[in-house]
Amino acid sequence: MQYSYQCQTYEHSFSHPLTTRYGTWSVRQGLIITLVDEHNTVGQGEIAPLDWFGSESWQQAWDYCQHLPSQLTSTEILSVPDHLPACQFGFGSAWAALGASSSPALTLPMCGLLPTGASALSAYPALEQQGYRALKWKIGVDTPAREQAIFRDLMAVLTPGTRLRLDANGGLSYAAACQWLDLCDQASADVTVEYLEQPLPPSEFTTLVALSQLYQTPLALDESVATLAQLQACYQQGWSGIFIIKPAICGYPNDLRQFCQTHAIDAVFSSVFESKVGRRACLQLAEELSNPHRAIGFGVNHWLPVP
Ligand code: MG
C-alpha cells in the first residue's frame, strides 16, 4: 500500500525559559508527519529531537524528511535509519495512528517540573494545588552549596507525602554526587527523595553503578539511555536501577514496546516537551509500559502550553 506523506515544521515558545545545566531553552522546534492511506485515513506523528541529549538535531530530521517522496510504502515508513531515533518515533507513531482506535483513558499520576534554582520555592504551591504529589527539580546548574541550601528549604516546606526527584543532567562531580546522596539519604520520612537522576555523565557508567550500591537513595539513568540502543546496552551491562525513558527520542515505538515487555525494568516514561500529537503517542506507551507505582514525567504543560 502507498501512503501520501507530508511534513510540517512547528515552533512553540516556552512560557518561561527552562534552565538546565545545558543552558537555557526557550523554543521547542519540531516536525509533524502526516500519512494518509487509500481509504483517506489520516495518521499523524511528531518528531521532537533533542540533540544535546543524544538524538539527531532538528536540522538532521528536517533534511531527512524533506528528501522523502510524497508517496511512501510501509517498508519506507519503517526503515528510518537508527541514527535518526526521533524520526523513527515520528514515522512509527504516525503509522500506528492509522490503525488506532480511540485512545485509552490515562490513569498514571504525573510528576510536575519545578523551575530551577530558588524559583522552586515560590513555584511549588501552585503545582501542589494542581494535584502533583511528585515533583522534579533540576540541579547541577549552580554551586552544590547554594543548591543544597535551597534543597533543605524546599524539603522543609513541601507537603508531607510528596516525592521529590532531583535531576543533575550528568553535571555533578563524583564528590558532589556523594554529598547530594548523603543529604538525600538523611532526608526526613515526610518528604522523600524518590531518586537522583543522572548524577554523572554517561561516560562514567561504571562509577554510576558503584554509586548506586553505596547509597539508599535510588539512582536513575536518563542521558545514559536516550536511545533504545543505549537502553539495551545499559541493561546488558547490569544496570538494576531506574531507567528514564523518553519515548519521543527512543526510536520506533514497537521496538521500545518489545524491549519493555521482554525485560522487567523499573521504567519512568518522560517528556521531551512534545506538542499534543507526540504527547498522545507517548502517553499511550507510558500507560502500557511505565512502572505504575511511579509518576510519569509529563507534568510540563505549565512550561509549554500547546494549543
Ligand atoms: Mg533527566
Side-chain angles (χ1 to χ4, degrees):
M1 203 196 288
Q2 293 269 319
Y3 300 86
S4 83
Y5 154 72
Q6 275 191 328
C7 176
Q8 271 187 313
T9 64
Y10 72 78
E11 279 189 13
H12 295 139
S13 295
F14 283 68
S15 43
H16 309 280
L18 174 65
T19 306
T20 72
R21 73 160 209 96
Y22 301 110
T24 300
W25 192 13
S26 49
V27 179
R28 185 356 130 207
Q29 276 189 302
L31 304 160
I32 301 292
I33 300 299
T34 304
L35 301 173
V36 184
D37 71 12
E38 59 192 20
H39 309 295
N40 268 337
T41 307
V42 178
Q44 285 195 312
E46 178 172 344
I47 301 175
L50 209 56
D51 55 345
W52 39 266
F53 205 90
S55 87
E56 71 271 44
S57 64
W58 182 89
Q59 189 63 47
Q60 286 172 304
W62 174 236
D63 287 344
Y64 180 78
C65 292
Q66 228 183 349
H67 289 106
L68 290 173
S70 62
Q71 295 285 319
L72 298 175
T73 63
S74 53
T75 310
E76 286 169 317
I77 293 165
L78 299 175
S79 16
V80 176
D82 286 343
H83 69 276
L84 302 171
C87 289
Q88 288 183 330
F89 177 82
F91 281 92
S93 48
W95 194 73
L98 285 168
S101 46
S102 60
S103 311
L106 300 173
T107 59
L108 291 175
M110 294 196 189
C111 172
L113 179 60
L114 289 163
T116 310
S119 307
L121 292 167
S122 49
Y124 82 88
L127 292 181
E128 287 191 340
Q129 268 167 24
Q130 288 169 50
Y132 289 114
R133 291 294 167 263
L135 296 171
K136 172 159 149 175
W137 188 53
K138 298 272 188 189
I139 62 170
V141 179
D142 201 346
T143 63
R146 276 200 287 264
E147 289 183 338
Q148 286 166 9
I150 300 166
F151 169 77
R152 287 192 181 88
D153 291 345
L154 192 58
M155 292 295 278
V157 294
L158 290 174
T159 298
T162 303
R163 291 169 145 200
L164 182 66
R165 299 171 177 180
L166 300 178
D167 185 4
N169 286 114
L172 301 181
S173 65
Y174 181 76
C178 293
Q179 252 180 26
W180 272 108
L181 286 164
D182 265 327
L183 204 56
C184 295
D185 279 4
Q186 291 158 24
S188 78
D190 286 349
V191 178
T192 51
V193 177
E194 187 179 2
Y195 52 75
L196 170 60
E197 205 169 301
Q198 199 76 45
L200 308 175
S203 57
E204 293 182 47
F205 179 77
T206 317
T207 316
L208 283 162
V209 173
L211 262 187
S212 73
Q213 288 155 2
L214 281 175
Y215 294 90
Q216 285 180 320
T217 302
L219 296 188
L221 297 183
D222 190 2
E223 277 85 343
S224 289
V225 294
T227 65
L228 185 57
Q230 290 173 295
L231 178 62
Q232 286 166 325
C234 288
Y235 177 80
Q236 278 154 14
Q237 289 170 72
W239 181 257
S240 58
I242 298 152
F243 293 85
I244 309 297
I245 296 181
K246 294 172 155 47
I249 56 166
C250 206
Y252 279 111
N254 272 341
D255 295 341
L256 177 61
R257 181 180 283 116
Q258 199 178 4
F259 178 82
C260 292
Q261 287 174 344
T262 315
H263 304 94
I265 60 169
D266 188 349
V268 177
F269 277 51
S270 183
S271 156
V272 293
F273 300 91
E274 315 78 2
S275 59
K276 64 182 178 185
V277 170
R279 184 177 171 90
R280 195 184 308 129
C282 288
L283 289 177
Q284 272 180 286
L285 283 166
E287 198 66 37
E288 272 180 70
L289 306 169
S290 200
N291 180 345
H293 303 294
R294 298 189 188 278
I296 53 174
F298 284 86
V300 294
N301 282 348
H302 53 293
W303 285 98
L304 192 68
V306 178

